[in-house]
Amino acid sequence: MLCAGATVYEPLKELGAGPTTKVGIIGLGGLGHFGVLFAKAMGCQHIVAFSRKTDKQTDALKLGADEYVATSEQIDWAQVHASTLDIIISTVCDARMPFQEYLGLLRPKGRFSQVGIPEAPLPPLDTMTLVLNGTSISFSDSASPGNIREMLRMAADKGIRAWTQVRAMREVNEVVRDMEEGKARFRYVLVNE
């Protein structure tokens, strides 16, 4: 929680997530699952979790998402959700990600925060749309000490815990493969036997 949790808590708090906001969380993995948990704990009006496939839908709803979108399986997702969100936290960054479509989900004056570390340049953007809508894009990789303390207090008060899977240290190579294939739900803990 001190790393992944803080990474998503910071932009949610700083961008004003709360009872009147509709929030999107892109990527439902080690970071994204905390994004959904914290958005729910902050009382956000509506939470939409985005991932490529439907295989994480049940987990997303159990975490607290109100809606789940499988972007590679739902052809019209960008049109259906256009201009519906106030804040988007993106935990993934891939040159193939539909960045412009995600930005189109924001309402005027919407805020997009990229917390996933880019491994390659971001896709090109239609900046005119951003200017006309007053969209802001920010980047974040951690949280201030004060926000970390606040996050830990919220987690303790509301019973927020990481979803983890305990695996034997001898399985480390298999764990790495499983993680790269998106099989983790949602953090692995390796233990010596």
Side-chain angles (χ1 to χ4, degrees), residues 83-167:
S83 301
T84 60
L85 301 172
D86 301 298
I87 298 169
I88 295 175
I89 307 297
S90 175
T91 69
V92 298
C93 193
D94 186 308
R96 299 165 298 164
M97 102 182 210
F99 201 51
Q100 193 70 47
E101 288 85 348
Y102 283 132
L103 292 171
L105 305 179
L106 290 167
R107 293 177 172 173
K109 305 290 185 197
R111 295 163 310 258
F112 184 98
S113 183
Q114 180 65 46
V115 300
I117 303 294
E119 295 179 12
L122 292 172
L125 298 174
D126 174 7
T127 53
M128 183 57 77
T129 303
L130 301 177
V131 171
L132 293 175
N133 285 333
T135 302
S136 63
I137 300 174
S138 61
F139 296 83
S140 180
D141 70 346
S142 191
S144 68
N147 280 345
I148 290 173
R149 282 190 294 278
E150 186 178 292
M151 173 199 68
L152 292 172
R153 271 193 304 275
M154 176 186 283
D157 292 345
K158 300 203 178 220
I160 297 170
R161 304 182 86 139
W163 283 25
T164 61
Q165 292 175 289
V166 177
R167 303 275 297 266

Side-chain angles (χ1 to χ4, degrees), residues 2 5 9 15 20-21 29 33-34 37 42 68 72 80-81 92 95 104 111 117-118 127 134 136 139 149 151 160:
L2 288 173
Y9 181 85
L15 296 177
T20 62
T21 53
H33 93 287
F34 276 120
L37 288 168
M42 292 173 167
Y68 183 85
S72 67
V80 169
H81 296 280
V92 298
R111 295 163 310 258
I117 303 294
T127 53
S136 63
F139 296 83
R149 282 190 294 278
M151 173 199 68
I160 297 170

